[in-house]
Amino acid sequence: YDELFRPWHDLPISFQALLKEWSLPYVQAETMMDTIELNNGRPEPFSHVLCGDLAASFPGKVFVVLVTNQYFAPAIRHNEHHKAMIETWFQQGELNGQGMFEQLITYIARPQKSVLNRIKAFKNKHFKGKRVVGMQVRRQMRSRDKSGAGTSAAHVQTCSPVSHMLHE
């Protein structure tokens, strides 16, 4: 990863590198963390993120690690426990026309200058003056993602006021 991408403001990209910078052994950090996996399309794990107070759901945990292939970030904005904090994190960028994803991706994936130079050269050689159509192809991991992918209506409805009224 480090050969392709450069860190943002010299902040380590890898969690383990960040722990090393903090002089915090991984074994000790493991006792301070919990993991939520949001890959299998079931609504149950999403309720912690979309509806719950993560501090209350994971008492005493400093780190809650989200392992996911889902783009749930916009949905978390509706979580009443974290809404104000999330809004302050992304508000300035959004005023400048950058959505949440654009802001996150510039932190996560900042290509090294050598990679950018190769991309620009390829673009100039193959795309300049031509009409280009882009396509994204994803594969589904059959062992984990059998039931589908994405933050479905069922996930969001898990904590909607209407859903709660129906169950009362």
Side-chain angles (χ1 to χ4, degrees), residues 20-162:
K20 186 176 181 179
E21 187 172 299
W22 292 337
S23 302
L24 183 61
Y26 186 79
V27 175
Q28 184 180 352
E30 274 186 314
T31 66
M32 304 165 67
M33 75 171 76
D34 214 332
T35 304
I36 305 174
E37 185 174 338
L38 303 176
N39 292 332
N40 56 12
R42 295 183 351 256
E44 298 86 14
F46 281 83
S47 64
H48 289 295
V49 176
L50 300 179
C51 313
D53 180 346
L54 290 171
S57 296
F58 301 95
K61 300 298 179 180
V62 177
F63 307 105
V64 176
V65 180
L66 299 174
V67 179
T68 185
N69 62 3
Q70 311 298 307
Y71 183 51
F72 64 89
I76 198 172
R77 297 183 103 152
H78 297 285
N79 180 320
E80 293 302 320
H81 299 282
H82 306 292
K83 186 177 184 172
M85 179 179 61
I86 299 292
E87 292 297 324
T88 61
W89 288 353
F90 297 101
Q91 184 177 37
Q92 187 59 47
E94 288 176 344
L95 291 173
N96 294 327
Q98 283 192 311
M100 183 185 274
F101 178 78
E102 290 88 354
Q103 292 178 66
L104 289 171
I105 200 68
T106 58
Y107 168 75
I108 296 168
R110 298 182 61 219
Q112 294 284 4
K113 290 190 188 293
S114 62
V115 173
L116 277 177
N117 291 338
R118 289 178 64 191
I119 291 169
K120 287 177 184 176
F122 184 89
K123 177 182 155 192
N124 287 335
K125 181 178 179 181
H126 298 285
F127 299 159
K128 194 170 187 174
K130 299 177 184 174
R131 175 172 259 182
V132 178
V133 176
M135 182 183 339
Q136 179 181 8
V137 178
R138 292 184 180 185
R139 69 180 182 95
Q140 186 177 22
M141 295 175 62
R142 296 285 178 213
S143 62
R144 285 199 316 202
D145 296 340
K146 283 183 188 175
S147 59
T151 306
S152 70
H155 297 130
V156 176
Q157 290 172 357
T158 300
C159 55
S160 74
V162 173

